[in-house]
């Protein structure tokens, strides 16, 4: 089978996985981040274009990210579990209410000037970064991290799990990977542009 060709059985498993994800109100990006996967990777499983979903270890890993089990996935496929309900407003989540960004957050872009070379050669002292507080960074994308103690860090995002955020950069340079405790993080914002002013 071609890498991105969809198998009907894999597609059915993927639809069940998507139903489990929607039941707890997570996006593909949020579900993938729980296990260090991109939203695109997660989406390939849901669309049946990644045949690994047949493997029990892969099912445990993916359903575990959704606080579920492979048995829950089997129940959805058998039609014994209640699928998410559709309404005129779209998919309803029984566990998490949707809250749109506030007017202050919507479309708000911020800027800051780097005062050190912690991210050289990606960005050096004096470079102005433009960042979006409403956007989560992708792998190897710059991010501005505001900590609960008021400290602000600029790093290259790598991945995240339920407890930690993994980044590169800092006094040790880009080779060092640092794990930050998510409880100490107030906000993470994706860098949209580097401006040499």
């Amino acid at each position: 089978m071609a890498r991105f060709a969809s198998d009907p059985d894999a597609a059915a498993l993927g639809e069940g996985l998507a139903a489990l994800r929607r039941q707890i109100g997570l996006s593909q990006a949020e579900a993938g981040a729980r296990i260090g996967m991109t939203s695109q990777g997660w989406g390939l499983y849901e669309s049946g274009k990644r045949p690994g979903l047949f493997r029990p270890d892969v099912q445990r890993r993916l359903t575990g990210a959704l606080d579920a089990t492979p048995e829950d996935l089997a129940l959805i496929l058998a039609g014994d579990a209640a699928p998410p309900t559709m309404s005129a407003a779209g998919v309803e989540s029984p566990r998490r209410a949707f809250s749109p960004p506030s007017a202050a957050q919507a479309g708000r872009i911020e800027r800051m000037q780097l005062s050190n070379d912690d991210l050289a050669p990606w960005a050096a002292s004096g470079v102005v970064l433009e960042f979006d507080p409403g956007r989560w960074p992708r792998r190897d994308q710059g991010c501005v991290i505001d900590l609960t103690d008021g400290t602000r860090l600029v790093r290259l995002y790598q991945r995240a799990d339920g407890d930690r955020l993994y980044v590169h950069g800092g006094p040790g340079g880009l080779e060092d990977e640092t794990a930050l405790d998510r409880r100490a993080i107030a906000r993470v914002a994706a860098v949209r542009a580097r401006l040499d002013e």
Side-chain angles (χ1 to χ4, degrees):
M1 177 183 351
R3 180 175 177 193
F4 293 109
S6 183
D7 174 291
D9 294 330
L13 278 171
E15 288 171 16
L17 184 67
L20 281 174
R21 177 183 54 78
R22 287 190 296 265
Q23 281 181 346
I24 65 168
L26 291 179
S27 68
Q28 289 180 342
E30 291 168 325
R34 288 182 167 195
I35 55 173
M37 180 184 293
T38 65
S39 61
Q40 291 85 2
W42 188 277
L44 287 173
Y45 279 114
E46 285 190 2
S47 65
K49 294 179 181 174
R50 260 201 188 152
L53 193 50
F54 289 111
R55 293 179 27 202
D57 60 317
V58 173
Q59 284 185 15
R60 277 192 301 278
R61 182 173 176 233
L62 296 175
T63 57
L66 304 174
D67 303 321
T69 65
E71 290 76 22
D72 295 323
L73 180 59
L75 288 172
I76 287 218
L77 292 174
D80 294 337
T85 57
M86 291 295 289
S87 70
V91 176
E92 296 176 8
S93 171
R95 295 190 192 167
R96 188 177 97 177
F98 173 74
S99 56
S102 67
Q105 290 175 327
R108 193 173 102 195
I109 303 301
E110 296 181 29
R111 288 186 175 185
M112 69 170 285
Q113 186 171 23
L114 290 179
S115 59
N116 58 46
D117 288 327
D118 288 354
L119 294 176
W122 184 80
S125 180
V127 170
V128 174
L129 299 178
E130 188 175 85
F131 59 97
D132 183 350
R135 178 177 285 169
W136 189 262
R138 295 181 315 268
R139 184 177 178 90
D140 292 324
Q141 182 177 12
C143 63
V144 177
I145 304 164
D146 291 327
L147 301 178
T148 55
D149 68 2
T151 306
R152 177 172 274 180
L153 304 173
V154 180
R155 300 290 187 262
L156 291 183
Y157 174 80
Q158 292 305 303
R159 66 187 186 284
D161 58 32
D163 300 320
R164 291 181 182 75
L165 184 75
Y166 298 91
V167 294
H168 281 281
L174 290 179
E175 293 79 35
D176 289 346
E177 183 173 83
T178 306
L180 302 172
D181 186 346
R182 289 186 79 152
R183 292 173 297 186
I185 298 173
R187 178 179 81 164
V188 178
V191 171
R192 294 171 36 116
R194 294 173 286 186
L195 310 170
D196 295 317
E197 292 184 351

